[in-house]
Amino acid sequence: MGWTMRLVTRALFLGLTMMITRGWDKRDVCVYQQLPAEDNVFCTGLHISYEELKNLTCIYVPECNNYREKITKWPHPNVTFPEAMENSTYLLVMVDPDAPSRVNPLARYWRHWLVADIQGSDLKMGNIQGRVLSAYQPPTPPPKTGYHRYQFSVYLQGKNKITLLQYEMQSLGAWQLEGFLSRYKLNQSEARTQFMTQNHMDSPGPQVPGANRTTHEICKQT
């Protein structure tokens, strides 16, 4: 190859490299990070997945692909409890204990979803069918309030006829979850999990203080 041809080849290579670099968006790189140890212990056997996020068990919602905005609009997730007893009946609870913020949770617990009379055979498959006491409300953390935990728990309902009292139906916020569970003698969850996210306008970048980075992937989670 002649001297002139080598120069042309090098120029073409540099030009292609610049085009690729300029067209690359750092938000295309998905970083899936586990929750810190003190939050990770909450997760015991329950699995959560949305249409584009196949596993949100004890992780931060990734910043890439506008996931933190999309999750505020998606329908309810699949909730799967593989160890559910097929002939038993379960109650599903989803709450935000960090409303309006984790440092000032005056509206704890914010009720995001409450479903009774779920058959164990459906719960094993992630098919949540039952009597909806509170319709699903997507995670919508307010701006400038930091990360919120979204917690899911399932309880063995037994023969309980679960209902909300009139005053409980008047508001989703400041729900007295412990009192509700105590009323039906639901002292111990069968399984639970959580994920964290913050308002998408607050996301500074892929680094999450205090998190344990586990994988780097290109816009795909397994």
Side-chain angles (χ1 to χ4, degrees):
M1 180 182 295
W3 179 78
T4 302
M5 183 60 68
R6 285 197 295 268
L7 285 178
V8 172
T9 302
R10 180 174 296 180
L12 288 172
F13 176 77
L14 289 175
L16 180 60
T17 301
M18 291 175 65
M19 289 174 62
I20 293 174
T21 302
R22 288 173 181 171
W24 179 74
D25 183 352
K26 67 179 181 179
R27 292 175 65 87
D28 286 343
V29 180
C30 290
V31 178
Y32 296 89
Q33 297 178 305
Q34 287 185 344
L35 301 186
E38 61 269 24
D39 291 305
N40 199 284
V41 296
F42 186 88
C43 303
T44 57
L46 204 61
H47 303 286
I48 303 296
S49 63
Y50 285 84
E51 55 184 282
E52 292 184 36
L53 289 168
K54 300 306 181 185
N55 183 6
L56 272 182
T57 301
C58 250
I59 68 170
Y60 291 89
V61 172
E63 188 184 15
C64 61
N65 289 339
N66 294 321
Y67 283 147
R68 292 179 182 173
E69 181 178 10
K70 289 179 179 179
I71 202 171
T72 67
K73 303 171 184 176
W74 284 334
H76 71 73
N78 290 327
V79 180
T80 307
F81 179 31
E83 303 302 318
M85 296 180 287
E86 293 191 1
N87 296 321
S88 296
T89 304
Y90 292 85
L91 172 75
L92 169 65
V93 178
M94 175 187 175
V95 293
D96 173 4
D98 303 323
S101 70
R102 191 164 184 173
V103 297
N104 189 33
L106 296 177
R108 172 187 294 173
Y109 289 85
W110 195 278
R111 193 170 65 248
H112 277 264
W113 199 16
L114 184 63
V115 186
D117 301 339
I118 304 169
Q119 295 301 307
S121 55
D122 288 330
L123 190 55
K124 285 174 70 76
M125 302 300 295
N127 183 20
I128 302 303
Q129 298 187 75
R131 186 163 44 89
V132 178
L133 301 176
S134 282
Y136 176 72
Q137 302 291 325
T140 52
K144 310 299 183 183
T145 61
Y147 285 96
H148 286 232
R149 293 167 291 174
Y150 292 91
Q151 299 180 336
F152 298 75
S153 302
V154 293
Y155 297 85
L156 193 59
Q157 182 177 327
K159 296 182 179 180
N160 283 317
K161 178 69 173 178
I162 307 292
T163 60
L164 288 170
L165 299 178
Q166 187 63 37
Y167 75 89
E168 291 176 302
M169 292 188 288
Q170 294 174 359
S171 174
L172 299 175
W175 184 38
Q176 299 300 309
L177 175 59
E178 291 90 350
F180 169 81
L181 295 173
S182 177
R183 190 161 77 234
Y184 295 105
K185 296 181 172 57
L186 302 174
N187 301 317
Q188 182 69 41
S189 63
E190 297 297 306
R192 60 188 188 177
T193 193
Q194 64 179 340
F195 61 80
M196 286 193 198
T197 189
Q198 66 176 351
N199 188 282
H200 71 282
M201 297 298 292
D202 297 341
S203 301
Q207 295 295 327
V208 180
N212 176 27
R213 181 179 300 175
T214 56
T215 57
H216 293 255
E217 298 177 283
I218 306 298
C219 301
K220 182 179 179 182
Q221 183 179 16
T222 56

